[in-house]
Amino acid sequence: MAEKRPYSEYSDEELQSEIEKLRQEYKKYQGMGLSLNMARGKPCKEQLDLSMGMMDVLNSDTDLYCEDGTDCRNYGVLDGIREAKVLMGDMMENNPDDLIIYGNSSLNVMYDQVSRCMTHGVMGSTPWMKLPEVKFLCPVPGYDRHFGITEYFGIKMIPVPMSPEGPDMDMIENLVSSDDTIKGIWCVPKYSNPQGYSYSDETVRRFARLKPAAPDFRIFWDNAYCIHHLYDDKQDHLIEILAECKRAGNPDLVYKFASTSKITFPGSGISALASSPNNLAEIRAQLQHQTIGHDKVNQLRHVRFFKDIHGMTEHMRKHADILRPKFEAVEEIFEENLGGLEIGSWTKPHGGYFISFEGLGGTAKLIVDHAKKAGVTLTGAGATWPYHKDPHDSNIRIAPSFPPLDDLKQAAELFALCVKLVSAEKIYADRHV
Amino acid sequence: MAEKRPYSEYSDEELQSEIEKLRQEYKKYQGMGLSLNMARGKPCKEQLDLSMGMMDVLNSDTDLYCEDGTDCRNYGVLDGIREAKVLMGDMMENNPDDLIIYGNSSLNVMYDQVSRCMTHGVMGSTPWMKLPEVKFLCPVPGYDRHFGITEYFGIKMIPVPMSPEGPDMDMIENLVSSDDTIKGIWCVPKYSNPQGYSYSDETVRRFARLKPAAPDFRIFWDNAYCIHHLYDDKQDHLIEILAECKRAGNPDLVYKFASTSKITFPGSGISALASSPNNLAEIRAQLQHQTIGHDKVNQLRHVRFFKDIHGMTEHMRKHADILRPKFEAVEEIFEENLGGLEIGSWTKPHGGYFISFEGLGGTAKLIVDHAKKAGVTLTGAGATWPYHKDPHDSNIRIAPSFPPLDDLKQAAELFALCVKLVSAEKIYADRHV
């Protein structure tokens, strides 16, 4: 079967006829009036329906008091109610005392964290705004909204290549220990965005043992997908970073973030920051000027809904049952349509929200454009790199969660077609330059 | 009756015997084991109960879709759902298009606003962090949490005296037009914190016509108590500042804030910022880096609960019915116990959450200490001034909302006693220095 041979081995004639065939197919898709979206990691309707019970656990007959007697309806409790700290602590594998519960968005917590470092520094260091240059390391491909925060604050971003074990630790150790203008690194350590990679034990251990030249260097550890498994039997395990930092004698090195955004309702969940007592004391001292407290009623709602971490774990299995067929459908369609052609590779994650597609150099933008023109919106090419600049123009993030399964299959088939068409045209063109 | 004469006219002997009597009375209170709190503007339990219906309007049988079809459970809608903008716009007397809906705390919105000016300036101006000095004007007595934000950012605060008409506009006009390091002013224009004053028409008109030397000067207009009347028949009216600024050709001068914190549940409400299209465009450009959106489910909950501004207005009448007797009780007890003694004056607001007490110079700290030692916690003396420094040591903020009426009466009586004791002792001591 022709498809099983790499395109690069096709003769000119074979390639021309393949391109002709693909163009015809593409035209058919254009006539179908598709309007599908694989751009963002949004849960689908069925996933949201799983949490509708959230709307029933509090009503006018229930009390809205915490276990310690606090009336959750009133002002107060700067860093979160105790039972929410216990629940989120169990989810994040942290001591409840090492947590601050925030509002509906961990992105907001991360933004605020960077903002505070800009205006006030870290534990007495010079505010980053007062320094001539501040740099962050950015494992790539990575999460566009992380890069958006640092770009907004004028922080210079340095890409660090990712592997299935995590980011290049040799490079990170060298840079961090030699350059005191490097103040931070963005990490999605488990089921990474967009690859779905989880950092290896060695990677986490080396992170915990970094010897930064800058005393105000911090690791921004966004454990967004900590319990977001796709399989019961194939789960990635990540060494808990705060504990590892303590063991390594580096207790203050990390700000760790998580939220329930992809557990209950995105935008109406609760988020948390975990860190060392020193870091938390500094953050609370700032936080008291920013708010009287976050939404305790919503914290209580989450606790009453899940009861405990077991309830949350069972809830996540239901999410997995919805998401798993979607990931597997995309992987099957990619394998069926692209396997053997040597024009792209893709990750096969055990959790998280994304598949990372790596095409031939110089094809990503064209593939995304082609898909768009046939009615399928993808995350913009380049989005996974700082400044939206993918130097190879090869990476595309695939978000399979949102569309219904049948739509998703259609979108994945169109995507594969676009990859084939753009790649075949590129190979042909490269031969005839 | 002895109490009707000013203490200053008492002979030494009369004063000594009065002090002796007051000390005995104070001792009795100390033996009572009171534990009452008049420190913060917290709604009481009965007020919170008014909003319990909020917990019923959304349940697993209701849909969670906006009027425009948006699923409020999912990500998205950066600046708030349309119907929340309409409701908050009606409350704030602003066009829904001139609003951004935020999360649970307008304090947070104000903090973020100052923070953004620090790191990014205003409409292309130099970030305030990069300037050698930044100053804010602070009408005094004022709201401690406002002053806390500007102090945290190292902004120098200049007190401006308040009158029942609002802050001293001659002083403000002079300062703002001559000093381009003055970048802002904190205002609580209606039922001010702590006096309950509302700015006169002339004051608002002069605000709208300020000619700041600094193009990045902004008025921080915290309309926290816009619909928080105590009376149906005695309501203060405030000219809407954004409209007045437009009329004056100064459309970008104001950031205006409000929230439902003292309407529904403090800490679980929604907040909003209203401003000109230019200002809002700049804020949205920043906000997209900070969050994907605020809690839309809670926005929807508020809209479904109130339906419209009429529902909210009726709801506020129920709050007033609870609060009014408390304010009147305090005023009566003050009049009965302190009237004619010429050792203090207090405001009699038509709305808001506070009464401002002005004692003899050098007595406020002692009065608060005395009350504390007999079991009644008041807002710290000095809290109503920048840097907690009341130069006269005379102002105390009274917050009558939280304690049950009987407790409140006891607390007010003890407060009056402390005022008498401390003032009599001071007058006596001053005579014998």
Side-chain angles (χ1 to χ4, degrees):
Chain A
M1 204 175 135
E3 268 85 9
K4 294 294 166 195
R5 282 166 57 218
Y7 272 176
S8 58
E9 295 176 10
Y10 279 36
S11 68
D12 276 8
E13 292 67 32
E14 284 175 315
L15 215 45
Q16 273 182 313
S17 116
E18 175 76 1
I19 289 170
E20 195 44 46
K21 200 191 76 187
L22 295 167
R23 282 184 184 158
Q24 293 301 327
E25 265 189 81
Y26 179 73
K27 245 187 196 147
K28 257 193 287 169
Y29 272 99
Q30 282 189 303
M32 285 165 70
L34 296 182
S35 175
L36 303 171
N37 196 309
M38 295 204 297
R40 305 289 334 173
K42 285 173 78 165
C44 65
K45 184 181 176 307
E46 291 69 29
Q47 288 179 271
L48 301 175
D49 288 344
L50 296 176
S51 300
M52 281 306 283
M54 289 265 298
M55 297 293 99
D56 296 331
V57 290
L58 302 182
N59 59 58
S60 56
D61 294 327
T62 53
D63 75 272
L64 278 78
Y65 292 86
C66 295
E67 286 161 15
D68 72 0
T70 300
D71 189 340
C72 287
R73 302 172 301 177
N74 220 328
Y75 284 116
V77 192
L78 181 66
D79 66 359
I81 65 174
R82 179 73 191 171
E83 45 267 64
K85 289 186 181 180
V86 170
L87 179 65
M88 294 298 279
D90 282 342
M91 173 181 128
M92 297 168 75
E93 305 179 321
N94 292 114
N95 186 319
D97 295 329
D98 295 340
L99 287 190
I100 294 174
I101 307 292
Y102 279 80
N104 74 324
S105 157
S106 59
L107 186 72
N108 202 329
V109 185
M110 293 183 260
Y111 174 100
D112 283 5
Q113 198 61 19
V114 174
S115 182
R116 192 177 51 67
C117 296
M118 295 301 292
T119 57
H120 287 78
V122 177
M123 286 191 196
S125 80
T126 305
W128 296 354
M129 279 287 292
K130 304 271 192 193
L131 299 173
E133 183 158 62
V134 173
K135 303 192 199 107
F136 257 55
L137 303 183
C138 298
V140 284
Y143 178 33
D144 56 349
R145 291 191 189 269
H146 285 164
F147 305 155
I149 291 173
T150 25
E151 183 174 1
Y152 177 70
F153 283 105
I155 293 172
K156 189 176 168 191
M157 295 180 278
I158 302 171
V160 176
M162 278 286 288
S163 83
E165 309 292 306
D168 182 335
M169 291 310 297
D170 290 339
M171 182 175 171
I172 290 173
E173 285 165 354
N174 284 337
L175 284 169
V176 162
S177 62
S178 63
D179 182 350
D180 70 358
T181 69
I182 296 176
K183 302 296 189 188
I185 179 167
W186 288 118
C187 294
V188 184
K190 192 165 177 181
Y191 303 135
S192 65
N193 180 349
Q195 307 89 342
Y197 293 154
S198 297
Y199 292 7
S200 71
D201 293 357
E202 195 200 331
T203 298
V204 179
R205 291 206 178 98
R206 290 173 74 176
F207 262 115
R209 281 159 187 82
L210 284 178
K211 299 275 171 267
D216 50 350
F217 172 90
R218 290 292 181 273
I219 300 167
F220 287 67
W221 194 258
D222 181 7
N223 205 1
Y225 307 107
C226 48
I227 58 168
H228 300 58
H229 312 289
L230 287 171
Y231 298 92
D232 267 350
D233 54 342
K234 290 185 283 182
Q235 296 191 354
D236 293 357
H237 290 280
L238 181 74
I239 294 185
E240 202 293 303
I241 185 74
L242 292 183
E244 189 61 23
C245 284
K246 266 168 92 171
R247 288 189 287 261
N250 249 344
D252 300 329
L253 195 61
V254 173
Y255 302 131
K256 180 177 167 181
F257 311 93
S259 82
T260 67
S261 288
K262 292 181 177 89
I263 300 175
T264 58
F265 296 151
S268 302
I270 58 177
S271 60
L273 181 149
S275 199
S276 68
N278 285 338
N279 285 330
L280 291 183
E282 183 180 38
I283 293 167
R284 282 192 203 98
Q286 172 262 322
L287 197 59
Q288 62 167 328
H289 299 296
Q290 190 174 19
T291 182
I292 303 174
H294 295 99
D295 186 341
K296 295 186 296 301
V297 170
N298 205 31
Q299 293 172 28
L300 192 68
R301 184 179 287 121
H302 278 72
V303 173
R304 298 258 174 102
F305 180 60
F306 289 118
K307 295 187 180 69
D308 55 28
I309 185 64
H310 178 65
M312 202 182 249
T313 307
E314 290 300 303
H315 185 79
M316 291 313 286
R317 294 178 66 198
K318 296 177 199 162
H319 277 287
D321 288 341
I322 297 168
L323 287 174
R324 196 171 45 245
K326 296 190 176 182
F327 276 76
E328 291 178 347
V330 171
E331 287 161 20
E332 255 172 58
I333 289 165
F334 283 7
E335 185 56 43
E336 201 178 297
N337 289 274
L338 302 174
L341 300 184
E342 294 185 7
I343 53 173
S345 60
W346 53 94
T347 57
K348 297 167 189 73
H350 297 161
Y353 264 69
F354 303 102
I355 291 168
S356 180
F357 179 85
E358 197 66 34
L360 299 178
T363 61
K365 268 189 202 146
L366 281 169
I367 292 167
V368 171
D369 282 353
H370 274 66
K372 180 95 196 163
K373 283 175 188 151
V376 172
T377 305
L378 296 158
T379 310
T384 55
W385 281 71
Y387 311 107
H388 291 76
K389 280 182 197 151
D390 174 357
H392 317 293
D393 185 28
S394 59
N395 185 256
I396 299 172
R397 185 180 77 167
I398 310 283
S401 58
F402 188 70
L405 188 57
D406 286 343
D407 288 358
L408 177 71
K409 285 181 181 169
Q410 214 165 25
E413 277 160 8
L414 172 69
F415 177 81
L417 173 64
C418 294
V419 172
K420 290 202 283 186
L421 176 55
V422 169
S423 304
E425 287 179 337
K426 175 161 174 49
I427 290 167
Y428 187 87
D430 284 351
R431 279 187 202 164
H432 298 273
V433 172
Chain B
M1 204 175 134
E3 267 85 8
K4 294 293 167 195
R5 283 168 54 219
Y7 272 176
S8 59
E9 295 176 10
Y10 280 35
S11 68
D12 277 7
E13 291 68 32
E14 283 174 314
L15 215 42
Q16 273 182 315
S17 116
E18 175 77 0
I19 289 170
E20 195 44 46
K21 198 193 78 190
L22 295 167
R23 282 183 185 158
Q24 292 302 327
E25 263 188 85
Y26 180 72
K27 246 187 198 148
K28 258 192 286 171
Y29 273 99
Q30 281 189 306
M32 287 165 67
L34 297 181
S35 176
L36 304 171
N37 196 311
M38 295 203 298
R40 306 286 339 169
K42 284 172 78 165
C44 64
K45 185 183 173 308
E46 290 69 29
Q47 288 179 271
L48 302 175
D49 288 343
L50 296 176
S51 300
M52 281 307 283
M54 288 267 297
M55 297 293 98
D56 296 330
V57 288
L58 301 183
N59 59 57
S60 56
D61 294 327
T62 52
D63 75 273
L64 277 79
Y65 293 84
C66 295
E67 285 161 16
D68 72 1
T70 301
D71 189 340
C72 288
R73 303 172 302 176
N74 221 328
Y75 285 114
V77 192
L78 182 65
D79 66 359
I81 65 174
R82 180 72 192 172
E83 45 266 62
K85 289 186 182 179
V86 169
L87 179 65
M88 294 298 279
D90 281 342
M91 174 180 127
M92 297 169 73
E93 304 179 323
N94 291 114
N95 187 319
D97 295 330
D98 296 339
L99 287 190
I100 293 175
I101 307 292
Y102 280 80
N104 74 323
S105 156
S106 60
L107 187 71
N108 202 329
V109 185
M110 293 183 260
Y111 175 99
D112 284 6
Q113 199 61 19
V114 174
S115 182
R116 193 177 50 67
C117 296
M118 294 301 293
T119 57
H120 288 78
V122 177
M123 287 190 195
S125 80
T126 305
W128 295 355
M129 279 287 293
K130 304 270 191 196
L131 298 173
E133 184 159 64
V134 173
K135 303 192 199 109
F136 256 57
L137 304 183
C138 298
V140 284
Y143 178 33
D144 56 349
R145 291 189 189 270
H146 285 165
F147 304 156
I149 291 173
T150 24
E151 183 174 1
Y152 177 70
F153 284 105
I155 293 171
K156 188 175 170 190
M157 294 180 278
I158 302 170
V160 175
M162 278 286 290
S163 83
E165 308 291 306
D168 181 336
M169 291 310 296
D170 289 340
M171 181 175 172
I172 290 173
E173 285 165 353
N174 283 337
L175 285 169
V176 162
S177 63
S178 63
D179 182 350
D180 70 358
T181 69
I182 296 175
K183 301 296 189 187
I185 181 167
W186 288 117
C187 295
V188 183
K190 191 164 176 182
Y191 303 136
S192 64
N193 180 349
Q195 307 89 339
Y197 294 154
S198 298
Y199 293 6
S200 71
D201 292 358
E202 195 200 330
T203 298
V204 178
R205 291 206 178 96
R206 289 174 73 177
F207 262 114
R209 281 158 187 80
L210 283 177
K211 299 274 170 266
D216 51 351
F217 172 90
R218 290 292 181 275
I219 300 168
F220 287 67
W221 194 259
D222 181 7
N223 206 0
Y225 307 107
C226 48
I227 58 168
H228 301 58
H229 311 289
L230 288 171
Y231 299 92
D232 266 351
D233 55 340
K234 291 184 284 183
Q235 296 190 354
D236 293 357
H237 290 279
L238 181 74
I239 294 185
E240 202 293 304
I241 185 74
L242 292 183
E244 189 61 23
C245 284
K246 267 168 93 171
R247 288 189 286 262
N250 249 344
D252 300 328
L253 195 62
V254 174
Y255 301 131
K256 179 176 169 183
F257 311 93
S259 82
T260 66
S261 288
K262 291 181 178 89
I263 299 174
T264 58
F265 296 152
S268 303
I270 58 177
S271 60
L273 180 149
S275 200
S276 68
N278 285 337
N279 285 330
L280 292 183
E282 182 180 39
I283 294 167
R284 281 192 204 97
Q286 172 263 321
L287 196 59
Q288 63 167 328
H289 299 296
Q290 191 173 19
T291 183
I292 304 174
H294 295 100
D295 187 341
K296 294 185 296 300
V297 170
N298 205 32
Q299 293 172 27
L300 192 67
R301 184 179 287 120
H302 278 73
V303 172
R304 297 259 174 102
F305 179 60
F306 289 118
K307 294 184 181 70
D308 56 28
I309 186 62
H310 178 64
M312 202 182 248
T313 306
E314 290 301 302
H315 185 79
M316 291 312 287
R317 295 179 65 197
K318 297 178 198 162
H319 278 288
D321 288 342
I322 297 168
L323 286 173
R324 196 170 47 245
K326 296 190 176 183
F327 276 77
E328 289 178 347
V330 170
E331 288 161 20
E332 255 171 57
I333 288 165
F334 282 8
E335 185 55 43
E336 201 179 296
N337 289 274
L338 302 174
L341 300 183
E342 294 184 7
I343 53 173
S345 60
W346 52 95
T347 57
K348 298 170 188 69
H350 296 162
Y353 264 69
F354 303 103
I355 291 168
S356 181
F357 179 84
E358 197 65 34
L360 299 179
T363 62
K365 269 188 201 147
L366 282 168
I367 292 167
V368 171
D369 282 351
H370 274 67
K372 180 95 196 163
K373 283 175 187 149
V376 171
T377 306
L378 296 159
T379 310
T384 55
W385 280 72
Y387 312 106
H388 291 77
K389 280 181 198 151
D390 174 357
H392 319 293
D393 184 27
S394 59
N395 185 257
I396 300 172
R397 185 180 77 167
I398 310 284
S401 57
F402 189 69
L405 188 56
D406 285 343
D407 289 359
L408 177 71
K409 286 180 181 169
Q410 214 167 25
E413 277 160 9
L414 171 69
F415 177 82
L417 174 64
C418 295
V419 171
K420 289 201 284 186
L421 177 54
V422 169
S423 305
E425 286 180 338
K426 178 163 171 48
I427 290 168
Y428 188 87
D430 284 352
R431 279 188 201 162
H432 297 274
V433 170

